[in-house]
Amino acid sequence: MRILGVDIGGSGIKGSPVDTNTGEMLGERFRIDTPRPATKEAVLDTIGQVAGHFDWQGPVGCGFPGVMRKGVAYTAANLDPSLVGVDLAGEIGQKLGQPTVVINDADAAGLAVMRFGVGRGEKGLVMVITIGTGIGTALFYDGMLVPNSELGHTQLKFKKVRKIHDAETMVADSARKRDELSWKQWGARFTEYLKYMERVMNPDLFILGGGAAKKGDKFLEYLKVTTPVKTATLENRAGIIGAAMASREFGAK
Ligand code: BGC
């Protein structure tokens, strides 16, 4: 089944048709800078251009960087607050004239990794963590998605830091760059975050995805946790492939 997958991100809106039987992207990924401000109209227009680029006719799946319930955005931490409350699935579906599903972007990336990547066949509780501008989390139990976990926003007091912080603002890739941390320093901070996740979630496996995942050789040695850690291999394709999978698995049958 061919589905257009669209990954709505803080810096770019990317899409490609996906063969959801194999998880292969059909053709070159098409990317447009996320409009600023990312108003509803501007975001819808950009998604329209992505679909237009592929002359797309058929189902559509989108990943959105916020909590998504029944197609409606409830948060948009690193995007525009005006998107909160918007029935994105309804509006995008109407704009494109195609059946459309929208889920959280980390849930989408996690779906791709669980169906076609290193998470394939993994049983028990798997926590996928996407490390990018923000921290996204996706929980799977025996391969089934438990949506909207938002554990990147856990309030934590990190060692050597006075205040309690929203974890994302301390351990995202953007925080590593902002604070000019070495991989060793960032790894120590991320270990604190993972240890807390171990205490409260007790996962069987962590899978690290997002842009930072391909740099695993630089930081994996600094992550001192007992839970096994794998890095996702689909890299920046996971968001698109998983968005298409969301439409396949959660779209109207
Ligand atoms: C958002 C999540 C999203 C993550 C990655 C966080 O700030 O709250 O919904 O999955 O960023 O984009």
Side-chain angles (χ1 to χ4, degrees), residues 64-67 75 77-78 104-107 130 134-137 150 153 168:
F64 178 81
V67 172
T75 66
N78 294 309
N104 171 263
D105 60 350
D107 286 347
T130 63
I135 290 284
T137 61
E150 293 293 339
H153 294 297
E168 165 176 287

Side-chain angles (χ1 to χ4, degrees), residues 105-169:
D105 60 350
D107 286 347
L111 263 185
V113 168
M114 295 302 287
R115 301 295 179 260
F116 302 112
V118 291
R120 195 170 193 161
E122 290 288 352
K123 296 283 181 210
L125 185 64
V126 177
M127 183 172 174
V128 180
I129 306 177
T130 63
I131 308 162
T133 312
I135 290 284
T137 61
L139 296 177
F140 291 84
Y141 187 72
D142 282 356
M144 186 191 273
L145 173 67
V146 182
N148 290 318
S149 50
E150 293 293 339
L151 293 166
H153 294 297
T154 305
Q155 303 289 301
L156 262 188
K157 173 153 173 349
F158 290 83
K159 282 180 204 147
K160 300 186 198 152
V161 180
R162 283 228 193 105
K163 287 196 310 192
I164 293 174
H165 283 275
D166 185 313
E168 165 176 287
T169 65

